[in-house]
Amino acid sequence: MKAYRTKASKLRGTNFHEVRKKAFNIYLKIKAKTKRRPYIRSAYFKKEKVFLPLFWQHLFDQENWKIRMKRLQYFEAAIELVRDNKFEPKSKENPNNSNEIFHRFMGITNELAVFYVQIKENKRSGQKNLISIFPEK
C-alpha cells in the first residue's frame, strides 16, 4: 500500500482540550460550508462525499482520553489525505456486516509520522463515512 505524504503536520497541544479545540475548529470550518451533514470530497472516490459526523461519535466512544488525543492530533492531516489522495487503499468487507466495505488509507505527515484513515462505505447506498484516524503502532 502506498502512503500519501501530507503537507499538514500533527496538531500540537499539551493536553486533550487544546488538541480537541484545534481539531474542532477545523471541523467547524468544514461544517460552515453546508446546511446539512458536514462532508469533504475525496479525490480517490471521484469527488464523492465522505461524511464526517460518525468520526466524532466514534472518537468519543473511546474510554481513554490519551487515545482520543493521539487520534485527534492527525485530524488536519487526515482531512488533507481524504481530499487529495489518489493512491489505492487496503479494502476489505466488514466481517460483521456484509453490506459494508472498510477502506484503509495510509498517510505520512510532514514530520514523517505514519497514520491511517479508515472510511466505511455502504454497498447499497454508496454512502461513505470517515470512521477512524489512528497512528501506526
Side-chain angles (χ1 to χ4, degrees):
M1 173 172 28
K2 279 190 171 182
Y4 178 78
R5 182 84 182 260
T6 65
K7 293 179 181 113
S9 58
K10 288 170 43 175
L11 297 176
R12 299 278 176 227
T14 56
N15 61 29
F16 171 71
H17 298 290
E18 289 178 14
V19 175
R20 188 191 74 68
K21 188 175 181 180
K22 290 177 184 179
F24 205 71
N25 283 336
I26 295 167
Y27 176 70
L28 288 177
K29 287 178 186 174
I30 295 168
K31 187 176 179 180
K33 294 179 183 178
T34 182
K35 293 180 182 176
R36 296 186 178 106
R37 288 190 300 164
Y39 65 89
I40 51 177
R41 294 202 178 261
S42 172
Y44 176 77
F45 295 114
K46 299 178 183 134
K47 297 295 179 186
E48 290 182 15
K49 296 176 183 178
V50 176
F51 295 100
L52 302 177
L54 194 60
F55 166 73
W56 292 97
Q57 181 183 354
H58 181 260
L59 179 73
F60 287 103
D61 287 344
Q62 302 295 324
E63 297 165 11
N64 192 341
W65 62 270
K66 286 183 181 181
I67 294 171
R68 290 182 199 165
M69 182 173 157
K70 287 190 180 204
R71 290 179 178 209
L72 274 180
Q73 286 178 330
Y74 293 95
F75 187 73
E76 185 177 17
I79 295 297
E80 182 185 333
L81 182 142
V82 173
R83 260 192 204 134
D84 303 334
N85 178 36
K86 292 185 179 177
F87 295 140
E88 185 84 19
K90 188 176 186 181
S91 300
K92 72 174 190 174
E93 197 171 283
N94 183 353
N96 301 327
N97 185 352
S98 61
N99 240 4
E100 297 173 343
I101 301 173
F102 289 132
H103 302 284
R104 186 174 288 180
F105 295 91
M106 183 178 184
I108 301 174
T109 65
N110 66 358
E111 304 152 336
L112 302 179
V114 178
F115 67 98
Y116 296 94
V117 173
Q118 190 159 310
I119 295 175
K120 177 176 76 171
E121 177 182 3
N122 186 319
K123 285 183 185 177
R124 289 186 184 160
S125 65
Q127 181 175 311
K128 294 158 189 69
N129 291 294
L130 176 68
I131 291 196
S132 186
I133 303 165
F134 51 93
E136 186 176 56
K137 292 182 181 176

